[in-house]
Amino acid sequence: MTTTNTTPESPNAEPMRMDFIRQAVAEDLQAGKGGGKVITRFPPEPNGYLHIGHAKAIWIDYGIATDFGGEFHLRMDDTNPMKEEDEYVKAILDDVRWLGVEWGEHLYYASDCFEQMYDYAVDLIRKGLAYVDDQTPDEISRSRGTLTSPGTASPYRDRPAEENLDLFTRMRKGEFPNGSRVLRAKIDMASPNLNLRDPVMYRILHAPHPHRGSDWCIYPMYDWAHGIEDSIEGITHSLCDIDFENHRPLYDWFIDAINQGRQTPIHHPRQIEFARFNLTYTITSKRKLRELIDGKLVRGWDDPRLPTLRGMRRRGYVPDAIRDFMRHIGISKVVTTIDAALFEHFQRDNLNRTSPRVMAVLDPLKVVITNYPQGQSEQLDAVNNPEDPSGGTRKVPFSRELYIEREDFMEDPPKKFFRLAPGREVRLRYAYFITCTEAIKDADGNVVELRCTYDPATRGGDAPDGRKVKATLHWVSADHALDAEARLYDYLLLPEEEDAAADANTALPSAADTGEAPDDPAAVAITGSAPERDWKERLNPNSLQTISAKVEPSLAGTQPLDRFQFERLGYFCTDRDTTDGKLVFNRTLTLKDTWAKEKKKGGA
């Protein structure tokens, strides 16, 4: 089913691609549910930086809201002051906006709902559906039982409502130390769903909150707060990671319990789960990313090797291409593993269309054109982007001494090597035909300079007599070239065996990384995790190579995040380390597109 979307919020009024979530939303609208509105939200926890997995959740939430002419909310799920910082809030706002997503007036904070949540909790205590527990966290964890055995009721489970109200009020006033008491929902300690075994709703935590200051010393647990926030905001469709499917009955229980006996029920959002995806060669676990940063194995959250949106931006990735990639892979109920080459394909396609071309030499070998006049230079016309006729041209200087790539010369070339060799003629891009006449070597026998001649009649790259050459080389004028640092990035992880999809090292993202993470330590203790090998063994020692390069003078005024195609070499962007006296470029991607090649062969 394809529906044409003409809502003004939708960019380019693209046809809507129906999936199981959009189908459910369309059916709800047709049935008149939600008051005929669609309101979605992206609810990150401000305890770290967003990554590529979050981008999928963002585009699902934002895309569905815009497709149906609804509202999109951005909400900080700031319920844990021990891990949250204003730095992360600012970074999230900036990264979401960089993706091209706007929320208008709909920016919210979970902490702004603390008073309403507290009132709802008091209501549950009065109804006998919540109680204050004096057990330690370890005792609560042990009493929750296992997947095969029921839990054990707390000795404080049947406290009178009046006593629970008094204790809860005193908890809020700060009369008790951290960890001494919690508020728990009274549900079912024998439930096969561990989330329903009297989950913790509030814990005592004497810590200032980045958004609320010192107003509170009890903080709601994620599972209690999350659904209530959605209700307060009027979210019609709460779209979550598939890991939250087992939490849905708990969210429903909380709303139903609050509504019990109410004349005017509070809003009950509909939760729909989607599956995360795996991306090869990629780490997105916040814990592991932090280990890399704390261990100085990368240069920070915006290191271009990381899948954080900050790192991707610094590397030169294009947000529109991220959106196109997400649209292509679609929404699934099953966790899938995506080849990183597909993600790169969408980036290359965009960069090829939008990046101005320049010439740079990463491994310089000097060329002296012996029959070109000494002291002379000229300005040649170079096309800025053959994919964009409106891009115009620029001037590049040509002189007697040039630099070419060292790999573009071989003294004794094999049969299929068509670039420069003794006695061979090649074309210099936008310039002339040159012929190598001599290779100058150092004392160790290494070629350090080439002597060549040029044909003045071939200016612009064509011979008037119609003769052809089999190779065209890029180059820069030695007299005019700028020194630059080039940072060549590769995958952070080395390839692994066929069981990659099952390796948690590449999961994108886990429940704990989506901004939708239950923070009940007792629940974590029950589920546990399987032993894993040391993931650092797969770190690629060559994920970054830093080299000295020569670039054409037009790059003198480049600014951070300017993107270019270095002809024949790849896509690069100007790094923020660039200063007036130092040019630094990050390689975004090489020109080779393995995904497009496989698709052409019929392999994808």
Side-chain angles (χ1 to χ4, degrees):
M1 175 180 178
T2 301
T3 302
T4 300
N5 175 20
T6 58
T7 61
E9 295 88 352
S10 177
N12 304 321
E14 296 175 336
M16 186 191 304
R17 297 185 181 184
M18 295 300 287
D19 49 62
F20 71 93
I21 296 181
R22 285 175 170 81
Q23 186 67 47
V25 172
E27 292 171 355
D28 286 348
L29 286 175
Q30 189 173 10
K33 296 180 180 179
K37 295 181 179 180
V38 174
I39 305 177
T40 64
R41 85 290 179 267
F42 173 61
E45 296 172 271
N47 59 9
Y49 286 77
L50 301 183
H51 54 63
I52 186 64
H54 295 106
K56 178 177 181 178
I58 291 168
W59 277 111
I60 290 175
D61 287 307
Y62 183 69
I64 287 175
T66 54
D67 279 352
F68 289 96
E71 291 179 7
F72 169 77
H73 294 187
L74 178 60
R75 179 176 75 230
M76 301 297 158
D77 256 338
D78 53 345
T79 60
N80 189 348
M82 298 301 291
K83 296 182 179 180
E84 297 157 358
E85 300 177 17
D86 282 332
E87 171 193 352
Y88 299 135
V89 172
K90 293 175 182 177
I92 289 169
L93 296 176
D94 189 44
D95 287 344
V96 174
R97 190 175 286 114
W98 174 71
L99 285 176
V101 171
E102 292 293 339
W103 53 87
E105 62 183 358
H106 299 295
L107 173 62
Y108 302 96
Y109 291 80
S111 56
D112 288 336
C113 302
F114 280 179
E115 194 70 44
Q116 185 66 72
M117 293 180 202
Y118 179 84
D119 290 344
Y120 287 153
V122 168
D123 178 56
L124 294 190
I125 293 173
R126 289 190 176 125
K127 293 174 180 176
L129 298 177
Y131 62 97
V132 174
D133 193 345
D134 295 358
Q135 293 184 104
T136 67
D138 287 342
E139 289 172 334
I140 292 175
S141 178
R142 289 193 297 270
S143 70
R144 293 280 293 276
T146 67
L147 293 171
T148 57
S149 62
T152 302
S154 166
Y156 306 98
R157 195 172 194 263
D158 294 323
R159 267 177 166 156
E162 294 77 10
E163 184 180 351
N164 285 317
L165 283 171
D166 175 67
L167 289 172
F168 191 51
T169 301
R170 294 167 63 191
M171 285 171 60
R172 178 176 179 177
K173 290 180 178 179
E175 295 185 15
F176 308 119
N178 290 349
S180 60
R181 287 186 166 92
V182 296
L183 182 71
R184 297 177 68 179
K186 186 187 291 188
I187 307 179
D188 182 2
M189 290 302 293
S191 173
N193 186 335
L194 301 179
N195 298 301
L196 297 178
R197 295 184 185 178
D198 290 12
V200 174
M201 297 169 59
Y202 279 90
R203 77 283 209 193
I204 300 172
L205 190 59
H206 292 271
H209 190 281
H211 187 61
R212 296 298 301 269
S214 300
D215 291 351
W216 293 83
C217 61
I218 58 170
Y219 289 95
M221 302 299 285
Y222 185 91
D223 273 351
W224 163 244
H226 192 68
I228 304 302
E229 298 158 27
D230 284 346
S231 175
I232 293 172
E233 287 182 37
I235 301 302
T236 59
H237 296 86
S238 175
L239 310 177
C240 301
D241 186 288
I242 195 68
D243 289 349
F244 288 82
E245 185 173 21
N246 288 334
H247 294 259
R248 183 173 6 118
L250 176 57
Y251 300 156
D252 290 341
W253 187 91
F254 280 137
I255 299 291
D256 292 341
I258 294 170
N259 283 334
Q260 182 179 317
R262 293 179 68 93
Q263 290 185 344
T264 304
I266 68 172
H267 173 64
H268 194 149
R270 178 182 180 182
Q271 178 170 311
I272 305 174
E273 301 85 13
F274 60 88
R276 64 182 183 273
F277 70 99
N278 300 323
L279 193 66
T280 54
Y281 311 109
T282 306
I283 298 171
T284 55
S285 161
K286 285 182 183 177
R287 174 180 62 82
K288 293 174 182 176
L289 291 175
R290 194 174 293 279
E291 282 187 51
L292 291 174
I293 294 165
D294 292 345
K296 309 297 183 184
L297 298 172
V298 294
R299 297 179 175 181
W301 287 103
D302 67 345
D303 189 296
R305 289 168 289 183
L306 298 183
T308 57
L309 298 186
R310 282 297 169 96
M312 289 185 165
R313 188 195 312 196
R314 187 175 180 183
R315 184 159 174 168
Y317 285 140
V318 184
D320 287 350
I322 295 177
R323 178 201 63 196
D324 294 341
F325 167 73
M326 295 302 174
R327 281 174 56 84
H328 178 83
I329 66 175
I331 306 174
S332 172
K333 294 182 180 181
V334 179
V335 177
T336 55
T337 298
I338 307 297
D339 192 333
L342 176 60
F343 175 76
E344 294 170 353
H345 166 75
F346 279 89
Q347 291 292 329
R348 283 192 184 90
D349 181 67
N350 187 292
L351 291 168
N352 182 55
R353 289 183 280 106
T354 60
S355 299
R357 273 53 167 174
V358 296
M359 290 193 290
V361 176
L362 302 185
D363 188 10
L365 175 61
K366 179 173 280 191
V367 172
V368 178
I369 302 176
T370 56
N371 63 333
Y372 193 89
Q374 290 189 359
Q376 179 176 310
S377 67
E378 57 187 302
Q379 298 290 326
L380 304 176
D381 290 325
V383 176
N384 285 330
N385 189 346
E387 301 293 325
D388 179 12
S390 67
T393 61
R394 68 189 186 283
K395 296 294 185 179
V396 292
F398 183 87
S399 61
R400 176 184 172 89
E401 295 185 357
L402 312 170
Y403 292 115
I404 66 169
E405 294 290 348
R406 187 170 299 275
E407 67 176 18
D408 282 340
F409 172 80
M410 290 188 72
E411 191 172 16
D412 186 18
K415 184 176 181 180
K416 293 187 177 182
F417 183 86
F418 300 117
R419 286 166 279 174
L420 200 58
R424 182 174 294 173
E425 187 175 48
V426 299
R427 176 189 292 108
L428 295 181
R429 181 79 159 146
Y430 307 119
Y432 298 96
F433 285 12
I434 63 170
T435 302
C436 180
T437 59
E438 185 181 4
I440 308 300
K441 299 181 182 180
D442 62 14
D444 296 323
N446 300 310
V447 175
V448 294
E449 183 180 298
L450 301 179
R451 302 289 172 85
C452 298
T453 60
Y454 87 117
D455 182 351
T458 59
R459 192 177 194 271
D462 291 315
D465 60 5
R467 75 182 187 275
K468 303 295 182 183
V469 292
K470 293 185 177 182
T472 299
L473 310 184
H474 64 278
W475 52 276
V476 293
S477 167
D479 292 340
H480 304 85
L482 304 176
D483 292 325
E485 178 181 300
R487 298 171 180 173
L488 309 183
Y489 292 99
D490 202 347
Y491 295 129
L492 186 58
L493 290 181
L494 295 169
E496 60 180 344
E497 295 76 21
E498 292 298 321
D499 62 350
D503 192 334
N505 295 339
T506 58
L508 263 187
S510 70
D513 293 331
T514 59
E516 298 183 338
D519 51 11
D520 184 345
V524 174
I526 290 173
T527 56
S529 60
E532 64 179 32
R533 60 182 172 176
D534 185 356
W535 57 275
K536 293 193 183 90
E537 293 177 3
R538 288 186 54 218
L539 289 177
N540 180 4
N542 298 314
S543 61
L544 169 60
Q545 298 181 59
T546 301
I547 62 174
S548 297
K550 301 287 186 179
V551 301
E552 67 174 65
S554 68
L555 290 170
T558 183
Q559 298 297 311
L561 300 183
D562 287 346
R563 301 184 185 93
F564 305 95
Q565 183 194 110
F566 286 5
E567 295 205 37
R568 298 180 64 227
L569 298 175
Y571 298 100
F572 287 74
C573 89
T574 310
D575 188 75
R576 62 174 172 81
D577 289 342
T578 290
T579 62
D580 290 340
K582 180 183 179 182
L583 291 173
V584 181
F585 297 96
N586 297 323
R587 184 174 68 186
T588 308
L589 292 166
T590 61
L591 292 181
K592 184 179 180 181
D593 190 338
T594 56
W595 182 264
K597 183 177 180 181
E598 289 301 314
K599 187 175 181 181
K600 187 174 182 180
K601 292 192 317 185

